[in-house]
Amino acid sequence: GINAEYMGMEKKEVGGDMIYKTLPNSAKMPMLGLGTRKGLLPDLITHAVLEEKYRLIDTASMYQNEEVIGDSLREAFESKEKNAVRREDMFIVSKINHDEKYDVEGALRGSLKRLKLEYLDLYLIHAPFGVCVDPDKWKYKQPPLYKTWAAMETCVRKGLCKSIGVSNFNCQLILDLLSYAEISPVVNQIEVHPYCSQRKLVQYCQKNSIEVMAYGPLTASGRYKDSIWNALNNPIITEMAALHSATPAQVTLQWGLSNGHIVIPQTSNKERLKENMASLKVKLSAEELTAIDMLNKDHRIFDFHAKKQFGGIPIFDQHPIHFPLHTLYS
């Protein structure tokens, strides 16, 4: 099962089964939260917070949903029901967009205004590149990382955010960042799931007290429902789920939690909210965790190199490996 001591996790004494990570500033970060995207339904957030006890919400300037989330959070904070929550109960994450890096404080204040909040619990650099000015030559325009990071640190000192971190950063970028950072990143949000475990990068981050926040932890199973790359269709995972009277999604999320990942599955379905939260109760053996580890194919669902809007830049040291279908489950 979960080795809480080894992974630096702790159970909350009051309020259910949520597992938390303790950040360097002593803040408690829930290990399971709700990932969001454009087109979010307002009542979903309110329901997630009030009825399903979600306390971690992940958003970004790019997603264009901060206003919707802000309205939903305000409704949750002002609820007269006994399940009402306070701002300090929530852990809200947002990210600076590629075209906002020349005015980090302005970008953060914009996010806060849309979210109707006075501070963020965590503010991330969404990606290590700026605005693509020449896709054919992979040319980007952005300030040097050390200047962007200094501005992020200033936001912490001004109380606009409690912690800062990065997203889609590889080992080389973090090595450079740690050489001059006065306030170290507490999180690297990257794609992690059974088919793209990024184990070495995860280990590097964890050894340097940087928590790994896993986006796409269910291999975008809703979008790729019938795809061979939907891990929830894998027979090893489905058989494990049947053995534990759980769902494939719950087993997959528990694999991430057991490896110390902070998981933020997306959903627009209220029943899925409940199902995902219940993954906290699933217990997997060391042998079962290893069996899921063995499914890794270094396959990215969200590959920047393949997406034209990012200019095709190969920011990771590995790219999707497309296995023939007959070898995937062998």
Side-chain angles (χ1 to χ4, degrees):
I2 296 176
N3 187 335
E5 185 179 3
Y6 177 74
M7 286 298 180
M9 309 175 198
E10 57 187 69
K11 284 253 184 145
K12 193 176 181 183
E13 294 180 9
V14 182
D17 297 312
M18 180 56 71
I19 305 168
Y20 292 77
K21 289 276 193 174
T22 301
L23 301 181
N25 65 355
S26 298
K28 300 287 191 290
M29 185 173 183
M31 288 189 65
L32 190 148
L34 179 61
T36 66
R37 57 182 181 269
K38 193 174 180 179
L40 190 68
L41 297 174
D43 69 322
L44 186 80
I45 295 290
T46 310
H47 179 84
V49 172
L50 293 180
E51 304 301 329
E52 303 302 341
K53 304 296 187 287
Y54 278 79
R55 295 296 178 259
L56 167 63
I57 307 292
D58 178 81
T59 183
S61 175
M62 175 188 282
Y63 303 161
Q64 299 177 30
N65 63 15
E66 289 172 316
E67 287 190 4
V68 172
I69 292 172
D71 290 339
S72 300
L73 288 174
R74 179 63 57 88
E75 184 179 339
F77 296 153
E78 294 177 353
S79 171
K80 303 300 182 185
E81 303 297 323
K82 62 181 180 180
N83 59 356
V85 298
R86 304 166 298 172
R87 169 64 184 96
E88 54 266 35
D89 298 327
M90 298 298 299
F91 197 101
I92 309 299
V93 184
S94 194
K95 312 177 195 73
I96 187 168
N97 203 19
H98 322 319
D99 59 357
E100 297 176 320
K101 293 181 180 178
Y102 286 97
D103 184 9
V104 173
E105 183 176 330
L108 175 48
R109 288 186 183 277
S111 285
L112 291 174
K113 183 177 180 180
R114 292 186 291 273
L115 288 162
K116 300 175 180 61
L117 299 175
E118 293 183 0
Y119 68 90
L120 287 177
D121 296 278
L122 177 61
Y123 196 44
L124 305 178
I125 296 176
H126 205 148
F129 48 80
V131 178
C132 184
V133 293
D134 188 343
D136 294 331
K137 296 183 178 180
W138 291 348
K139 291 200 178 298
Y140 288 78
K141 186 177 188 299
Q142 68 175 337
L145 178 57
Y146 75 88
K147 288 189 176 181
T148 303
W149 194 253
M152 298 279 284
E153 292 173 330
T154 297
C155 290
V156 176
R157 296 185 183 109
K158 289 187 175 183
L160 299 174
C161 55
K162 303 287 188 182
S163 294
I164 48 180
V166 295
S167 180
N168 299 304
F169 270 46
N170 59 20
C171 178
Q172 296 92 321
L173 286 161
I174 296 172
L175 270 169
D176 179 59
L177 176 56
L178 292 178
S179 71
Y180 54 76
E182 295 179 11
I183 301 175
S184 295
V186 300
V187 158
N188 184 18
Q189 186 179 130
I190 53 176
E191 177 180 349
V192 185
H193 48 74
Y195 290 157
C196 185
S197 62
Q198 301 207 68
R199 183 159 298 277
K200 290 182 180 178
L201 178 56
V202 169
Q203 288 176 341
Y204 173 77
C205 289
Q206 291 175 339
K207 286 178 182 293
N208 283 277
S209 302
I210 299 170
E211 303 297 349
V212 169
M213 202 170 173
Y215 69 76
L218 299 176
T219 58
S221 55
R223 197 182 316 173
Y224 302 103
K225 186 176 180 181
D226 299 319
S227 169
I228 196 75
W229 294 112
N230 178 358
L232 307 194
N233 294 334
N234 189 289
I236 289 175
I237 290 176
T238 57
E239 289 170 17
M240 214 175 282
L243 188 66
H244 288 275
S245 299
T247 66
Q250 289 168 345
V251 166
T252 303
L253 290 173
Q254 182 53 239
W255 168 81
L257 293 166
S258 296
N259 280 301
H261 311 156
I262 296 165
V263 295
I264 47 168
Q266 292 183 2
T267 185
S268 56
N269 183 304
K270 290 180 180 178
E271 287 305 310
R272 290 276 189 273
L273 287 173
K274 185 186 296 290
E275 176 186 342
N276 292 344
M277 185 60 78
S279 65
L280 293 165
K281 300 180 186 298
V282 177
K283 304 296 181 188
L284 300 177
S285 68
E287 291 77 16
E288 288 172 321
L289 293 172
T290 299
I292 299 177
D293 289 344
M294 299 296 287
L295 300 178
N296 179 51
K297 304 290 185 184
D298 292 337
H299 178 84
R300 297 182 186 280
I301 303 295
F302 305 90
D303 180 44
F304 292 104
H305 184 59
K307 294 183 181 294
K308 291 183 178 178
Q309 67 264 42
F310 298 119
I313 190 168
I315 64 169
F316 295 104
D317 61 351
Q318 62 194 51
H319 304 304
I321 300 172
H322 296 283
F323 287 82
L325 299 188
H326 67 274
T327 67
L328 186 59
Y329 293 152
S330 61

